[in-house]
């Protein structure tokens, strides 16, 4: 394995690679042998961090529905077992469940690994790592990859014990209890969702358990739920709440089945979106607003941390509930870490959530857990039904933009970071020459500009992608042609940057 580019496997705080052939130009680099080495390297790393011998460690392994999952899981397991560590094989599970295995009595795994590549195509896979302190960060992943690259394999005289267990059932039982305690229905404590029809779309990922193991025990009618069976080819739609076809599928299912509520998960169930009884999407700003309204009922005056592309209307909504909106950088780890930092510095923050559907709550270990967020919404859904109200009444005051677009401007030069930062700096200078544009203060990435003319009435955010030669541009407007007007003005500015691909703007 001397030809493996180990650093290329790092994707922020995860490991991701190509696990199967079948896509032209994408060579396999996450082989069973590589997975075996990574499992052993994780034990090596964890032994040092936990101050335990490898024979005293217990590791949990789970996977989503990907075609390569079972083979890679076996290889990771073998890499761990030869180091003498005990292994729990949890088979198909969710990413949040794997963290919970480290803090659940009866398991108390020293570490856990989830094999997943989120919503990426069928040929990809990856590894997410956990300890009882939470998900590993970028420096931790770099250290594990360095150990793997060194070739220093731990090979114990005694092979570690292998066990199989249905941990997702244990995890689901806690979600069931969360709903029962949250609703506290005096007449029907065991089945507080009785009389509610709730449709789930699991996208053939790992989220199908939510129907049989959470909703049905609570009394919900789940008729119309779809794509619950794991299928690593994802034949029906991409399992991604941000995907238009995926959201159209769950909206249609809710309407066709006269359901009260719809839930859609991504592949490994760390993200979620929802649909109301009228078939309207509850995602992005609407999802953030809804869960914020619930959090601010429980923790008045606290701070909601979001990523950078949330709308001005969301800020107004949160502040209208006497909360504080702290808009931070993109990236779910960034948002979560910022909320943790605020709490440590004395600022109360119970929710960190990104527009992509990653949401983490202080009461749930700041774990980005789509199933837990869905469960919090179900508690409120049941309560509002008892009060003969609608769940979406909670966000009735949310002002939403009339138009919203994201453009990804490719940078066609090798030193894309320097070039991208130059574009952003020049845009700051340009904005200062525009009478009706105002640079928004306290912005943590790129440049955010309020566009105040009557024809625009919106904002734009230009930032540099962390990993790709791309400058994402987000624009929102409260007037019908506002985005078009802002794009037209930006094209005048961008025309001097020859290495910037402006085709998406010109074709808008």
């Amino acid at each position: 394995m001397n030809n493996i580019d180990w650093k290329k496997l790092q994707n922020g705080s995860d490991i991701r690679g190509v696990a199967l052939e079948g896509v032209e130009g994408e060579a396999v680099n996450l082989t069973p042998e590589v997975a075996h080495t990574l499992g052993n390297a994780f034990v090596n790393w964890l032994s040092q961090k936990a101050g335990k011998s490898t024979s005293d460690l217990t590791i949990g392994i789970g996977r989503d529905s990907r075609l390569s999952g079972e083979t890679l899981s076996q290889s990771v397991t073998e890499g761990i077992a030869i180091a003498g560590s005990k292994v729990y094989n949890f088979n198909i599970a969710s990413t949040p469940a794997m963290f919970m295995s480290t803090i659940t009595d009866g398991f108390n795994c020293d570490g856990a690994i989830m094999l997943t590549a989120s919503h990426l195509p069928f040929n990809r896979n990856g590894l997410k790592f956990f300890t009882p302190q939470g998900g590993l960060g970028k420096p931790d992943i770099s250290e594990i990859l360095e150990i793997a690259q060194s070739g220093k394999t731990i090979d114990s005289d005694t092979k570690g014990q292998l066990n199989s267990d249905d941990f997702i059932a244990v995890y689901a039982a806690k979600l069931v209890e969360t709903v029962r305690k949250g609703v506290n229905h005096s007449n029907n404590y065991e089945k507080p969702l009785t009389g509610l029809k709730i449709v789930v779309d699991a996208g053939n990922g790992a989220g199908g358990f939510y129907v049989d193991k959470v909703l049905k025990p609570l009394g919900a009618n789940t008729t119309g739920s779809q794509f619950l069976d794991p299928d690593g080819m994802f034949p029906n739609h991409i399992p991604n709440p941000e995907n238009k076809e995926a959201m159209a599928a769950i909206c249609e299912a809710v309407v066709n089945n006269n359901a009260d509520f719809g839930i859609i998960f991504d592949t490994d169930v760390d993200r979620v979106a929802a649909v109301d009884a009228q078939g309207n999407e509850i995602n992005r700003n609407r999802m953030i607003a809804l869960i914020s309204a619930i959090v601010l009922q429980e923790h008045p005056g606290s701070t909601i941390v979001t990523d950078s592309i949330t709308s001005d209307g969301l800020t107004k909504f949160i502040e209208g509930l006497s909360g504080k909106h702290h808009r931070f950088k993109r990236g779910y780890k960034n948002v979560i870490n910022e909320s943790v930092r605020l709490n440590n510095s004395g600022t109360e923050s119970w929710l960190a959530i990104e527009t992509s559907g990653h949401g983490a709550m202080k009461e749930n270990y700041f774990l980005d857990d789509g199933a837990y967020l869905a469960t919090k919404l179900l508690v409120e859904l049941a309560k509002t039904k008892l009060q003969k109200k609608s769940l979406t009444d909670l966000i009735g005051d949310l002002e939403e933009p009339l138009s919203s677009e994201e453009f990804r401007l490719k940078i066609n030069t090798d030193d894309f970071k320097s070039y991208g930062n130059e574009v952003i700096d020049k845009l700051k200078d340009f904005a200062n020459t525009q009478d009706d544009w105002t640079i928004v203060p306290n912005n943590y990435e790129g440049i955010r500009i309020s566009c105040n003319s009557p024809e625009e009435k919106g904002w734009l955010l230009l930032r540099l992608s962390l990993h790709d030669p791309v400058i994402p541009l987000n624009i929102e407007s409260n007037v019908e042609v506002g985005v078009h007007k802002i794009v037209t003005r930006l094209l005048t500015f961008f025309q001097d940057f020859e290495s910037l691909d402006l085709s998406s703007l010109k074709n808008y």
Side-chain angles (χ1 to χ4, degrees):
M1 292 192 295
N2 294 331
N3 60 341
I4 295 295
D5 186 348
W6 293 95
K7 290 183 179 179
K8 192 174 181 180
L9 290 170
Q10 181 159 6
N11 182 68
S13 56
D14 301 341
I15 285 174
R16 285 187 183 171
V18 178
L20 294 174
E21 296 179 350
V23 177
E24 187 177 351
E26 295 189 6
V28 173
N29 63 351
L30 186 56
T31 64
E33 293 77 18
V34 168
H36 183 281
T37 301
L38 289 170
N40 194 269
F42 178 55
V43 172
N44 191 333
W45 178 89
L46 186 60
S47 174
Q48 298 173 42
K49 296 295 181 181
K52 290 184 174 183
S53 67
T54 57
S55 61
D56 290 331
L57 294 175
T58 299
I59 314 293
I61 306 291
R63 58 185 172 86
D64 67 18
S65 59
R66 292 176 180 278
L67 299 177
S68 59
E70 189 168 3
T71 298
L72 293 182
S73 177
Q74 290 172 353
S75 297
V76 171
T77 297
E78 183 63 25
I80 293 168
I82 65 167
S85 301
K86 178 180 178 180
V87 185
Y88 275 114
N89 177 12
F90 296 136
N91 293 302
I92 293 204
S94 70
T95 292
M98 294 313 300
F99 165 73
M100 293 302 293
S101 74
T102 69
I103 59 168
T104 297
D105 290 343
F107 296 90
N108 297 111
C109 297
D110 298 287
I113 302 174
M114 177 70 179
L115 282 100
T116 182
S118 188
H119 60 279
L120 293 181
F122 77 95
N123 66 322
R124 306 295 185 90
N125 214 327
L127 292 84
K128 293 184 177 182
F129 300 88
F130 297 94
T131 70
Q133 287 71 49
L136 269 56
K138 291 170 65 176
D140 303 317
I141 301 301
S142 297
E143 290 175 9
I144 291 171
L145 289 170
E146 287 173 8
I147 294 171
Q149 186 172 8
S150 73
K152 296 177 181 177
T153 301
I154 298 177
D155 198 343
S156 173
D157 294 335
T158 305
K159 189 174 181 180
Q161 180 182 349
L162 304 181
N163 301 276
S164 292
D165 209 300
D166 183 15
F167 185 76
I168 201 71
V170 178
Y171 165 79
K174 291 189 175 184
L175 297 178
V176 169
E177 197 57 27
T178 297
V179 175
R180 287 174 178 157
K181 288 181 178 178
V183 180
N184 196 20
H185 192 336
S186 58
N187 295 325
N188 200 353
Y189 181 84
E190 289 293 313
K191 297 183 179 295
L193 301 185
T194 299
L196 286 167
K197 181 180 281 190
I198 301 168
V199 172
V200 173
D201 184 325
N204 301 111
F209 76 92
Y210 202 79
V211 170
D212 286 335
K213 290 182 167 63
V214 179
L215 293 178
K216 288 183 179 178
L218 291 167
N221 179 345
T222 60
T223 302
S225 292
Q226 58 192 18
F227 317 140
L228 305 180
D229 294 332
D231 186 334
M233 288 302 293
F234 310 122
N236 295 290
H237 60 66
I238 296 171
N240 180 5
E242 289 190 287
N243 179 265
K244 290 182 179 179
E245 288 76 18
M247 287 307 301
I250 182 63
C251 289
E252 183 179 5
V254 168
V255 172
N256 290 346
N257 290 279
N258 295 313
D260 298 289
F261 200 58
I263 297 168
I264 182 169
F265 295 117
D266 74 339
T267 322
D268 59 327
V269 204
D270 59 2
R271 292 188 294 140
V272 69
V275 178
D276 69 16
Q278 286 71 48
N280 299 313
E281 298 180 13
I282 305 174
N283 59 0
R284 301 179 68 81
N285 287 297
R286 285 170 60 82
M287 173 61 80
I288 297 172
L290 187 54
I291 196 69
S292 295
I294 294 169
V295 168
L296 291 171
Q297 287 177 354
E298 299 170 353
H299 307 284
S302 60
T303 296
I304 309 296
V305 180
T306 74
D307 62 346
S308 59
I309 64 169
T310 48
S311 71
D312 292 340
L314 179 66
T315 301
K316 185 176 179 181
F317 176 81
I318 290 171
E319 291 176 350
L321 296 175
S322 300
K324 300 178 183 67
H325 183 195
H326 183 66
R327 194 186 282 122
F328 197 58
K329 300 176 183 178
R330 290 221 76 184
Y332 73 95
K333 279 282 190 181
N334 289 329
V335 174
I336 291 171
N337 290 341
E338 180 68 0
S339 189
V340 171
R341 185 193 69 79
L342 288 175
N343 280 289
N344 291 339
S345 65
T347 298
E348 185 184 18
S349 178
W350 287 81
L351 175 64
I353 186 166
E354 198 184 30
T355 48
S356 66
H358 280 287
M361 303 187 72
K362 182 180 178 182
E363 68 189 54
N364 191 43
Y365 309 95
F366 273 119
L367 176 65
D368 54 315
D369 186 344
Y372 190 82
L373 280 191
T375 299
K376 289 289 288 187
L377 295 180
L378 291 180
V379 170
E380 204 64 29
L381 180 69
K383 286 182 177 179
T384 53
K385 184 180 188 303
L386 290 171
Q387 298 163 0
K388 301 190 184 308
K389 296 180 180 179
S390 168
L391 177 62
T392 49
D393 289 345
L394 289 174
I395 56 173
D397 294 335
L398 175 65
E399 295 179 5
E400 300 185 71
L402 283 180
S403 54
S404 176
E405 296 290 342
E406 178 172 284
F407 305 91
R408 296 179 65 81
L409 313 180
K410 188 176 181 181
I411 302 173
N412 297 310
T413 186
D414 290 337
D415 189 6
F416 70 88
K417 289 189 177 180
S418 296
Y419 192 87
N421 285 323
E422 179 186 354
V423 174
I424 291 169
D425 288 339
K426 292 288 179 63
L427 181 56
K428 291 177 183 177
D429 296 336
F430 178 78
N432 284 326
T433 68
Q434 308 299 299
D435 293 337
D436 48 9
W437 278 13
T438 305
I439 296 176
V440 177
N442 302 320
N443 186 61
Y444 292 89
E445 61 178 349
I447 176 174
R448 187 179 178 110
I449 298 171
S450 288
C451 306
N452 305 312
S453 78
E455 292 183 324
E456 295 175 347
K457 283 189 178 179
W459 58 269
L460 67 90
L461 176 75
L462 187 72
R463 61 186 176 86
L464 182 62
S465 172
L466 291 176
H467 307 293
D468 302 319
V470 168
I471 303 183
L473 170 66
N474 292 86
I475 305 176
E476 285 191 359
S477 174
N478 295 318
V479 292
E480 198 163 317
V481 296
V483 171
H484 180 76
K485 294 291 185 182
I486 294 170
V487 166
T488 300
R489 198 189 301 203
L490 283 172
L491 279 171
T492 303
F493 162 74
F494 283 134
Q495 65 184 358
D496 294 332
F497 294 94
E498 295 181 356
S499 295
L500 211 55
D501 182 354
L502 303 177
S503 56
S504 61
L505 289 179
K506 291 177 179 179
N507 295 330
Y508 177 69

